[in-house]
Amino acid sequence: MDWPTAEMMTNVCPPGASYRYEVLRKESVAELIAALRAWQPGWRVGAASVHLREDYYDSSVFLEGGPRKDVFTMLIRHGDELAGMLSQERGVDALSLYASLVVIAPAHQGGKALFQGDYLEALAKLMGLEFIYTLVTLKHRAAQRYFESHGYSLVGFMPGYDREEVSPGVVKRVVEAAFVKCLAGREALLSPDVSNMTPTVRRLYEIMRTDHAVA
């Protein structure tokens, strides 16, 4: 279950015109951190802030040519310019893929697509993974539309999941939307026994089942 090369991803989910993929390398980590600091100056707290620490890449992230680790970062370049990054984490035993972070440089937002199709599904299928999940900010509709348009199910909200500096020195816990996509066929899903559910859980389950979000 190795992470794919940039060439493999190009074949299954082509980058946009004039863009190219690049698997993160050790020598590009400092460049990526500097870019993220410039693109997201408020990332002093919260889950995304780990991407600003070099030791995180040393301990947790697969770097091209290095040992296999569970976090994978793909860069998107426009020529030699860094235009964006995509970071994912695999769950080997659950055959799952967590889309932890997508960041696009301000200069490349709102124009041409940086990649064509569902990058996450293409990546998961290359690796034999069967389930994709992510938490999406409620600050930007574009991210929500992306997952809606690619067949992901909105399964709920995570109130207080993450932390965000909303103004200098003021940190609040924020709400994010939970989206999922199961790549396994419905015959592979085990339907739960509703008799084991509390009334509250069963009511929500019936609503979600009606919306085809669960088996």
Side-chain angles (χ1 to χ4, degrees):
M1 193 186 290
D2 289 343
W3 292 111
T5 64
E7 291 74 19
M8 292 167 67
M9 286 305 304
T10 297
N11 289 335
V12 297
C13 184
S18 74
Y19 292 98
R20 62 183 174 86
Y21 295 127
E22 180 183 292
V23 177
L24 183 63
R25 303 190 303 268
K26 175 70 174 178
E27 55 267 32
S28 300
V29 168
E31 177 192 11
L32 175 59
I33 292 175
L36 291 174
R37 289 188 186 279
W39 300 344
Q40 300 288 342
W43 277 6
R44 284 180 284 273
V45 299
S49 66
V50 299
H51 295 85
L52 303 181
R53 301 200 296 263
E54 189 168 351
D55 63 338
Y56 170 70
Y57 297 92
D58 290 336
S59 64
S60 303
V61 181
F62 167 68
L63 301 174
E64 189 172 52
R68 297 291 166 177
K69 298 178 182 178
D70 288 336
V71 178
F72 177 69
T73 298
M74 185 74 83
L75 306 182
I76 302 177
R77 291 193 182 273
H78 184 265
D80 292 330
E81 177 190 2
L82 187 56
M85 64 88 78
L86 306 100
S87 186
Q88 303 77 215
E89 183 171 357
R90 64 183 180 181
V92 175
D93 296 304
L95 297 181
S96 66
L97 183 69
Y98 172 52
S100 57
L101 189 65
V102 177
V103 188
I104 306 301
H108 295 270
Q109 295 176 8
K112 297 182 295 183
L114 272 64
F115 50 86
Q116 305 170 38
D118 186 351
Y119 170 90
L120 294 167
E121 180 173 335
L123 173 60
K125 286 181 174 178
L126 275 177
M127 300 184 67
L129 305 177
E130 299 177 344
F131 184 78
I132 306 168
Y133 65 107
T134 189
L135 298 175
V136 179
T137 178
L138 300 183
K139 294 171 63 175
H140 305 296
R141 291 185 180 181
Q144 300 158 37
R145 289 195 185 104
Y146 175 86
F147 288 100
E148 290 172 351
S149 67
H150 286 91
Y152 289 76
S153 296
L154 174 65
V155 294
F157 296 89
M158 298 287 280
Y161 160 76
D162 207 353
R163 299 165 64 228
E164 184 176 304
E165 188 173 36
V166 296
S167 61
V170 179
V171 177
K172 297 284 189 179
R173 302 205 72 89
V174 297
V175 180
E176 296 191 335
F179 283 88
V180 306
K181 180 187 280 190
C182 185
L183 304 181
R186 295 190 72 84
E187 69 282 356
L189 301 181
L190 176 65
S191 295
D193 184 346
V194 296
S195 67
N196 293 327
M197 301 179 186
T198 67
T200 299
V201 171
R202 182 168 180 171
R203 282 195 298 271
L204 180 56
Y205 175 76
E206 295 292 352
I207 292 170
M208 300 301 290
R209 183 164 61 179
T210 300
D211 289 341
H212 307 291
V214 296

